Amino acid sequence: MASNRQSTATTVQIAFDSDPEPHHCGYCNTDGSCTAGLYNLSTITLRKVRASNCGYCQKEGGKFSFGIVASTMLVDDYQILMDRGWRKCGTYYYKALMKTTCCPLYTIRCDANNFQISRSQRRVVQTMNRFINENIKPSDETRTTTITDSSLRQSAPKKQNDVQSKLSLNDWINKQSSTNAVQLIRHVLANDTPPSDEFLKRLRSRQKRWYKKLLKLKSQNKLSSETDIRVLVKRFDRMDNHSHQTLEEMLQFNEKPVNKLEVRLVRSYPPSEEFTRTLTESHSVYQRYQMAIHGDASSECSFSQFKRFLCESSLKKDCPRIPSSKVPSCGYGSFHMLYYLNGKIIACNVLDILPGGVSSVYFYYDPDLGFLKLGVYSALKEIELTRRLAREIPEIKDYYLGYYVHTCVKMRYKGQYKPSYLLCPETYTWHRIEKCVPLLNANKYARFESDTAKVDEDEENNIEHLKLRVDGHIITPLGLQQWNEEYFFYILDRFTKLAKFVGKTCANRLVIDLN
């Protein structure tokens, strides 16, 4: 800050009315020039609009964002910021300038309570369960199946085996209730013509796909072999059972698995004892991940960089505005969710728990375990965590996946966690991703709100009520102008952008440190 201060024109006040009444502070017995009464406000410093290289399209200087650094951020304030398109990295909070940045960043969240697991996501869970329960890797399973099929085909004369197999299959069908799937098997066995159009219309999409597999097996004369009967029954049971299984049930292991996987939620800020104790081991996994998956040099993922990037935080675990009845048993704030395989850390979710949901920050894992698809599995575990917290505190219901980047094909996977919603960059309302994708296919920047009359209901264009801290005193922007007009106009654009981007509610809760 410039030094030409005019002390006679200093305005110090807590209230920001046009004609404020004298304020008396009960903490230090002064007229209110101290900041002791601001313990329930977030404290930030302002940064300029920043141009940086884009990690998605690799354009130099193509990414534009406005940022702040928070020495203290209350969780309900960050919830508001996140629902207005902000994200954080350590203590740095930023919002993309959507119309000018090369790859617009749309905030995405999933309704965890109504989460619908996809077929590919279910396969990831099955792969993990087989590995933990039986120590079977995908490559091992493929090899075992091939050997078994080959030996069974050679074990008996084909004609005799076919008769026994058909009887076994028919016996099994006769014991089943007459569901669409059972009717489908009966029809494929007894007929060479497809079922009627009326019947096919009653089938779900996955049953139609299953029907095509049955036809393929029949055309290859494999439908009646004993090993294929087991596959057939297994597919039917899996299709029938998974429609009733909850996510929590799918993620359960056997009582006595061969391997042991533990997932522990540990507070990273302020650091818990377990977090501090495991920091070196966790960094080792992070470093191997960055070097193997992202091609970083060891110096780019040092211990200090790791702490700054994924361990430092300014999120307070306590918020005076939130009653204790609305706080989950684990509390709010920043956490690491550590994955232990047979006592060794193999992966970590970095996340924030907020009053409206769980925000995923970053994930890293042991690259030697890539066959487990841990990125997908960890997202499902975070959704499970969100659902568990929602049973305690119903308001904690959404799973925030960070930014959805439609211009980057690799980042579109986030839309596969359904039902998902994207944040409109103009009205800050939420919209189903299925309705947003056609708009993004047409233009990289899009307004999702179809009502043209709808505006940002929390918009703030007035900076008069911003709270500024200078040398331990609280002043208004008007006071700053009287104090140092040159500096006021130098920083005025940042005040204006901050008020607009954070909204009226949050603007009144922030203390801007100008020291």
Side-chain angles (χ1 to χ4, degrees):
M1 184 172 177
S3 60
N4 55 330
R5 299 174 179 171
Q6 302 173 14
S7 58
T8 57
T10 302
T11 302
V12 179
Q13 57 187 55
I14 294 293
F16 294 99
D17 302 317
S18 57
D19 187 19
E21 296 180 0
H23 168 73
H24 178 78
C25 178
Y27 295 92
C28 66
N29 201 31
T30 70
D31 62 356
S33 60
C34 74
T35 60
L38 303 180
Y39 69 99
N40 62 340
L41 300 177
S42 299
T43 304
I44 66 167
T45 55
L46 298 178
R47 293 292 183 265
K48 294 180 179 179
V49 169
R50 178 186 176 196
S52 58
N53 297 338
C54 180
Y56 303 110
C57 69
Q58 310 306 319
K59 182 178 180 180
E60 292 187 10
K63 180 180 177 182
F64 293 90
S65 62
F66 177 76
I68 60 176
V69 175
S71 57
T72 300
M73 179 63 71
L74 299 187
V75 289
D76 58 348
D77 287 340
Y78 183 44
Q79 180 70 61
I80 293 173
L81 292 180
M82 210 161 55
D83 287 338
R84 293 183 64 84
W86 290 73
R87 295 292 293 176
K88 76 180 187 71
C89 175
T91 60
Y92 181 70
Y93 296 70
Y94 61 98
K95 176 178 169 58
L97 304 186
M98 299 288 278
K99 291 185 177 181
T100 56
T101 196
C102 54
C103 294
L105 310 176
Y106 296 92
T107 301
I108 181 171
R109 74 183 188 188
C110 171
D111 180 358
N113 287 331
N114 295 306
F115 172 67
Q116 302 162 3
I117 191 167
S118 69
R119 192 179 184 190
S120 61
Q121 291 161 357
R122 188 182 292 115
R123 284 203 196 101
V124 171
V125 175
Q126 292 166 353
T127 297
M128 175 64 83
N129 290 348
R130 285 192 289 268
F131 177 70
I132 298 301
N133 292 331
E134 307 170 58
N135 200 32
I136 296 177
K137 299 180 181 179
S139 56
D140 296 337
E141 187 177 44
T142 302
R143 185 166 57 252
T144 302
T145 302
T146 303
I147 293 172
T148 303
D149 286 350
S150 176
S151 60
L152 283 169
R153 282 197 295 271
Q154 300 172 11
S155 61
K158 184 177 180 182
K159 186 173 289 186
Q160 181 182 359
N161 197 33
D162 281 352
V163 173
Q164 292 176 349
S165 299
K166 286 181 180 178
L167 290 174
S168 300
L169 182 55
N170 287 332
D171 287 343
W172 175 77
I173 286 179
N174 291 332
K175 294 177 184 178
Q176 309 303 315
S177 57
S178 188
T179 63
N180 287 339
V182 170
Q183 290 181 50
L184 203 58
I185 297 175
R186 285 176 180 155
H187 185 91
V188 171
L189 286 174
N191 299 276
D192 291 325
T193 58
S196 65
D197 291 340
E198 276 187 30
F199 180 79
L200 289 174
K201 286 180 182 178
R202 298 204 307 266
L203 299 179
R204 296 189 297 273
S205 58
R206 59 180 176 175
Q207 288 177 323
K208 290 179 181 177
R209 290 194 299 267
W210 193 56
Y211 165 63
K212 291 179 181 179
K213 289 183 179 179
L214 291 179
L215 291 179
K216 185 177 180 181
L217 286 171
K218 186 174 181 178
S219 68
Q220 295 173 341
N221 295 319
K222 295 180 179 179
L223 188 57
S224 58
S225 70
E226 186 176 348
T227 182
D228 284 323
I229 289 173
R230 283 201 289 264
V231 171
L232 198 65
V233 174
K234 187 176 180 181
R235 284 177 183 166
F236 173 77
D237 287 342
R238 187 163 63 235
M239 184 174 64
D240 186 53
N241 292 337
H242 283 165
S243 61
H244 302 98
Q245 273 188 314
T246 65
L247 176 64
E248 289 76 6
E249 290 170 337
M250 292 182 197
L251 294 171
Q252 287 294 314
F253 302 128
N254 294 343
E255 290 185 6
K256 295 182 179 180
V258 176
N259 293 308
K260 184 179 180 181
L261 181 70
E262 293 180 275
V263 182
R264 301 179 194 168
L265 186 68
V266 299
R267 181 175 290 281
S268 57
Y269 178 80
S272 65
E273 185 277 331
E274 182 172 5
F275 174 77
T276 303
R277 176 168 46 82
T278 59
L279 203 53
T280 301
E281 184 182 359
S282 187
H283 168 252
S284 177
V285 176
Y286 168 76
Q287 191 171 52
R288 292 202 304 277
Y289 170 82
Q290 292 295 124
M291 294 172 69
I293 305 302
H294 295 290
D296 288 359
S298 59
S299 59
E300 295 177 288
C301 43
S302 63
F303 188 66
S304 59
Q305 185 271 345
F306 167 68
K307 290 182 67 176
R308 185 171 59 254
F309 177 36
L310 297 176
C311 303
E312 291 180 3
S313 177
S314 53
L315 274 184
K316 302 289 288 183
K317 67 175 184 177
D318 301 315
C319 181
R321 290 186 291 262
I322 301 178
S324 57
S325 59
K326 296 293 184 180
V327 179
S329 55
C330 62
Y332 290 118
S334 298
F335 295 84
H336 281 201
M337 192 156 73
L338 299 173
Y339 293 72
Y340 291 82
L341 177 62
N342 301 324
K344 179 183 176 183
I345 294 177
I346 61 162
C348 175
N349 282 111
V350 182
L351 54 90
D352 298 319
I353 297 178
L354 304 169
V358 172
S359 172
S360 181
V361 178
Y362 201 71
F363 177 70
Y364 54 92
Y365 61 88
D366 185 341
D368 291 340
L369 297 174
F371 62 89
L372 291 175
K373 307 291 184 184
L374 286 169
V376 175
Y377 188 82
S378 69
L380 298 177
K381 290 297 291 184
E382 287 183 305
I383 292 173
E384 180 194 38
L385 170 65
T386 309
R387 289 157 63 108
R388 175 163 61 83
L389 293 173
R391 290 193 289 272
E392 283 189 65
I393 311 295
E395 291 80 5
I396 307 175
K397 57 185 175 59
D398 292 308
Y399 171 54
Y400 291 79
L401 293 92
Y403 284 132
Y404 174 82
V405 189
H406 193 72
T407 53
C408 180
V409 175
K410 291 183 179 180
M411 295 299 291
R412 294 183 186 179
Y413 75 91
K414 295 183 179 182
Q416 297 172 7
Y417 296 89
K418 299 180 179 179
S420 286
Y421 299 80
L422 296 185
L423 185 68
C424 176
E426 296 181 7
T427 61
Y428 301 112
T429 50
W430 295 95
H431 303 268
R432 282 294 294 260
I433 192 170
E434 291 82 359
K435 294 182 178 180
C436 301
V437 166
L439 299 174
L440 294 175
N441 286 338
N443 296 286
K444 67 179 184 179
Y445 173 81
R447 172 191 167 107
F448 303 138
E449 178 57 64
S450 57
D451 182 357
T452 56
K454 192 170 182 62
V455 296
D456 173 14
E457 296 179 354
D458 198 41
E459 185 174 7
E460 177 63 281
N461 294 313
N462 188 352
I463 68 167
E464 291 179 8
H465 301 294
L466 293 179
K467 302 172 180 65
L468 317 179
R469 180 159 60 194
V470 181
D471 289 344
H473 299 291
I474 300 300
I475 66 174
T476 65
L478 176 61
L480 178 66
Q481 184 179 12
Q482 295 173 335
W483 194 341
N484 190 328
E485 189 171 38
E486 181 184 352
Y487 184 70
F488 169 79
F489 283 110
Y490 169 75
I491 204 170
L492 178 60
D493 181 61
R494 291 186 229 181
F495 289 157
T496 305
K497 283 186 169 59
L498 178 75
K500 178 179 174 60
F501 291 153
V502 304
K504 185 177 297 182
T505 303
C506 206
N508 291 328
R509 295 181 181 180
L510 300 176
V511 176
I512 305 170
D513 198 333
L514 296 181
N515 290 320

